[in-house]
Amino acid sequence: MIKEILNEINAIERFLKNHKRYLGEEYVKYQTTLNELRLKVKLKEIENNVRDALKLKSDGEYLKARNLLKKSSNDIDKLEDEMINLKIKTFNSQITNLKNQINNELNLIKNLLLGEDSSINAPYNSSSVNSSNPINQSFSGENELLNKLNELLSKYQNPIKIGEGGFSYVFKAIKNGKTVAIKVPKELTETTGEIFLREIGNWKKLKHINIVQLYYSNIYPYPYIEMEYCEKELNKIKNNLELKEAVLLFFEVLNGLKYAHSKGIIHKDLKPHNILIKNNIPKITDWGLSKEITSKSTTINALTLQYSAPEQISRETIDKRTDIYQMGIILYELTTKKLPFNGNEFDIIYSIKNEMPPKPSELNPLIDEKLEYIILKCIQKDKSKRYQSVEELQKDLSEYLNIQLTTNLTASKTNKDFSRSIFYCADLVLFHLLNNDLGDALNYLYDLKYYADKNCSEEIINSVDNLIKAIEYRIEEGIKEPSDEIKIKAKIVVNKVKMRF
């Protein structure tokens, strides 16, 4: 097949060379045909590699099959980029089907390598990479499903694909003048259907400023979730955060997780990719693998291995402490800029089960003994040695942050470095609001107003005054927690004071 296509390419190239000056505008059309044929050759080579990988899998050569599939995945990404650059859409359906098949086969092989009983070692079938095969097809490969998806997206303005996960695609779109995100399953199978319904069921119970808000969901004309759009992803900014900034953000995420746990829901798949940021406020998303605490089902399918807890690897019972372990891995990464466990899958699995990672302070000397203790306690192998609740974790983290920020503020005042004092004072306002300490937040806000009066515009000074009045009112009324509106307003106001607007 490839030889026949190459012969066809050579014939067209000879024709173009001999007749270029006579072809005029037709020359461009022939060049397009030539580009399509070249892409077709590359696609066929990838399909052959996938076919070879399936044969290796059938023979029990799982690692070789996995490596060949990963190579095929990289090759198909490059091919897709070429198609975009050349503005060729001819092979969209085939590429989508092949990408889905590669991802599914990689998951199956991963399960086989991990000893998952639920994995099926399907017999080798040379037709399985054919785009007409209904197995593993996504909506892009089925006209009926594609039409339904288009019908759904037609309800919105300017839908643009902005991301994808193991089971779904995410689009950014506009509805009634408001930017929203739309999540749809990649394919319609029993597994994706179960995950999708579970996600909707649990997500509907969660309404918190640190959890991405679900606006609406339906299964017609195509299953979808309409949700809050967030402009940033922690995974993309994690290496740019300073230590203090990272720990404050982490503390804020814990508020959302604490709320979910109070509703009897554990996430099971916490990682920077699943923490989004809107208006500088972090929000947990992707509740597709979450489950109610009363549920006994557990699986490691679709989890990101490096963030998986030992009990997830060993298929033991999971609970709130599993989420705490995953948050500990995130805190380790945010503060050291490295993941605790690396290497191939077998090395990572062995390390998660049996080894403690390098001490965080060895990777970042700014991490003191208290913060290191907190990080390492989160990621203990034995669940009973971890923090037993988010509240317990936040208590230690609160003490650490309070000491760090007040010490820095005092030092800056002593050194008369008032530009730094503004920053530390602003951070203390936000920290105490996050910690529901309205009285302490108000005291530092009074100090911040003193700095604002000397350095900021009248507009910002008025904003600080309004924030003070809002907090004073809640204290007078005996309300113990700041409203979401106050938290949002506080972030905006204190950041402007920092920038001396």
Side-chain angles (χ1 to χ4, degrees):
M1 178 67 174
I2 291 178
K3 187 176 180 181
E4 293 172 4
I5 299 173
L6 288 173
N7 289 336
E8 194 173 351
I9 289 173
N10 290 332
I12 294 175
E13 284 179 328
R14 286 195 299 271
F15 176 83
L16 291 177
K17 183 177 180 181
N18 295 330
H19 300 86
K20 180 177 180 180
R21 59 179 177 172
Y22 305 111
L23 290 172
E25 293 181 358
E26 291 296 314
Y27 180 81
V28 177
K29 295 181 181 179
Y30 279 109
Q31 282 288 359
T32 300
T33 302
L34 204 58
N35 287 333
E36 287 185 354
L37 286 171
R38 290 191 180 110
L39 291 174
K40 189 173 182 180
V41 169
K42 293 179 181 180
L43 181 58
K44 199 65 188 175
E45 288 174 345
I46 296 170
E47 287 180 342
N48 288 343
N49 284 339
V50 173
R51 186 177 291 110
D52 291 340
L54 295 179
K55 184 65 170 65
L56 287 169
K57 174 189 161 192
S58 170
D59 294 338
E61 298 284 346
Y62 302 134
L63 282 176
K64 290 181 180 179
R66 176 175 170 272
N67 290 336
L68 189 52
L69 285 170
K70 283 197 167 186
K71 179 183 181 302
S72 299
S73 180
N74 290 332
D75 290 343
I76 208 163
D77 285 340
K78 292 176 184 176
L79 181 62
E80 202 170 33
D81 288 341
E82 282 188 57
M83 283 178 54
I84 292 170
N85 291 334
L86 294 170
K87 297 182 179 179
I88 292 174
K89 303 177 182 179
T90 313
F91 308 108
N92 277 348
S93 177
Q94 280 177 271
I95 284 179
T96 302
N97 292 334
L98 197 55
K99 285 177 75 173
N100 285 330
Q101 182 179 19
I102 289 170
N103 288 334
N104 288 339
E105 290 296 338
L106 281 170
N107 277 331
L108 286 172
I109 290 172
K110 176 182 174 181
N111 291 339
L112 287 166
L113 288 170
L114 295 174
E116 283 258 356
D117 295 335
S118 60
S119 301
I120 300 174
N121 187 8
Y124 168 66
N125 181 349
S126 62
S127 67
S128 61
V129 294
N130 191 313
S131 63
S132 63
N133 188 337
I135 298 174
N136 298 331
Q137 285 187 328
S138 73
F139 56 74
S140 297
E142 290 281 1
N143 287 335
E144 183 180 354
L145 295 181
L146 181 57
N147 289 338
K148 288 182 178 179
L149 178 66
N150 285 332
E151 184 182 347
L152 166 64
L153 295 178
S154 69
K155 299 176 183 292
Y156 299 85
Q157 292 177 288
N158 303 327
I160 303 170
K161 180 184 166 189
I162 57 172
E164 63 181 279
F167 297 101
S168 58
Y169 293 115
V170 179
F171 294 84
K172 173 185 175 183
I174 297 174
K175 179 181 181 182
N176 299 328
K178 180 179 180 180
T179 302
V180 299
I182 307 157
K183 184 174 182 178
V184 299
K186 285 183 173 180
E187 54 185 1
L188 300 184
T189 66
E190 286 190 21
T191 300
T192 56
E194 180 183 346
I195 289 171
F196 203 70
L197 289 174
R198 183 195 304 139
E199 179 164 28
I200 292 171
N202 284 337
W203 207 337
K204 280 183 175 179
K205 302 173 186 176
L206 304 175
K207 297 187 186 303
H208 190 275
I209 190 173
N210 298 119
I211 293 175
V212 173
Q213 186 177 351
L214 186 152
Y215 294 142
Y216 183 71
S217 62
N218 208 323
I219 60 171
Y220 182 83
Y222 191 91
Y224 71 100
I225 292 173
E226 182 186 299
M227 58 189 180
E228 182 178 15
Y229 171 73
C230 301
E231 66 271 13
K232 295 180 186 176
E233 180 184 302
L234 178 58
N235 195 52
K236 294 180 180 177
I237 66 166
K238 61 187 178 184
N239 292 328
N240 300 326
L241 299 174
E242 295 180 0
L243 181 65
K244 169 180 61 65
E245 190 180 10
V247 178
L248 276 168
L249 182 146
F250 179 84
F251 188 88
E252 196 168 358
V253 174
L254 287 175
N255 280 339
L257 185 62
K258 178 170 63 178
Y259 172 82
H261 286 182
S262 74
K263 297 295 181 180
I265 295 171
I266 53 179
H267 191 284
K268 298 202 311 179
D269 192 24
L270 291 162
K271 53 188 176 183
H273 180 76
N274 287 338
I275 297 172
L276 306 182
I277 298 171
K278 179 179 181 181
N279 297 328
N280 292 321
I281 294 175
K283 298 170 181 281
I284 304 171
T285 190
D286 201 352
W287 296 85
L289 294 179
S290 65
K291 73 180 187 72
E292 293 187 66
I293 292 171
T294 54
S295 170
K296 294 184 179 180
S297 62
T298 180
T299 178
I300 60 171
N301 290 335
L303 289 175
T304 303
L305 185 58
Q306 288 171 309
Y307 298 91
S308 299
E311 60 268 24
Q312 290 176 297
I313 299 295
S314 303
R315 296 182 59 79
E316 296 171 0
T317 304
I318 62 174
D319 55 33
K320 295 178 183 179
R321 295 169 294 181
T322 304
D323 280 350
I324 289 172
Y325 177 93
Q326 292 184 329
M327 289 299 294
I329 298 295
I330 293 172
L331 184 57
Y332 187 105
E333 184 180 13
L334 289 178
T335 54
T336 67
K337 310 307 178 189
K338 293 183 181 295
L339 279 162
F341 304 118
N342 289 290
N344 61 45
E345 287 191 10
F346 285 111
D347 289 340
I348 295 172
I349 289 169
Y350 180 84
S351 297
I352 289 173
K353 286 183 174 181
N354 302 290
E355 297 177 344
M356 287 301 289
K359 289 184 176 181
S361 59
E362 294 174 3
L363 302 174
N364 182 356
L366 295 177
I367 296 174
D368 65 12
E369 185 178 343
K370 176 66 174 179
L371 182 57
E372 182 166 87
Y373 169 82
I374 292 170
I375 296 169
L376 294 179
K377 185 171 181 178
C378 286
I379 59 175
Q380 289 293 315
K381 312 294 181 189
D382 185 345
K383 287 189 291 185
S384 66
K385 294 181 180 179
R386 295 175 204 159
Y387 289 103
Q388 301 300 291
S389 66
V390 175
E391 289 87 349
E392 187 182 340
L393 166 56
Q394 279 191 310
K395 182 177 180 295
D396 275 3
L397 203 57
S398 173
E399 291 174 1
Y400 163 79
L401 280 168
N402 195 33
I403 290 171
Q404 290 292 314
L405 293 174
T406 53
T407 299
N408 289 335
L409 178 61
T410 301
S412 67
K413 286 181 176 180
T414 302
N415 297 329
K416 297 184 178 180
D417 185 0
F418 297 120
S419 61
R420 301 305 303 169
S421 299
I422 294 173
F423 275 76
Y424 296 130
C425 189
D427 287 336
L428 279 160
V429 171
L430 294 178
F431 163 66
H432 285 296
L433 286 177
L434 294 176
N435 208 29
N436 296 328
D437 300 327
L438 288 180
D440 287 334
L442 186 60
N443 288 333
Y444 285 110
L445 196 54
Y446 289 144
D447 288 343
L448 195 66
K449 183 178 185 313
Y450 173 80
Y451 295 123
D453 287 340
K454 291 180 175 295
N455 298 286
C456 298
S457 66
E458 185 175 346
E459 180 186 353
I460 300 305
I461 294 170
N462 290 336
S463 295
V464 175
D465 284 335
N466 290 335
L467 187 58
I468 287 173
K469 290 175 184 176
I471 295 175
E472 285 177 337
Y473 172 79
R474 294 184 82 82
I475 292 174
E476 289 169 4
E477 294 296 315
I479 303 171
K480 296 182 179 180
E481 297 184 6
S483 65
D484 290 349
E485 183 183 1
I486 286 177
K487 289 181 181 178
I488 294 170
K489 185 182 293 185
K491 283 217 168 187
I492 295 171
V493 171
V494 301
N495 283 331
K496 286 186 175 181
V497 173
K498 282 183 179 180
M499 300 302 294
R500 300 191 181 191
F501 271 69

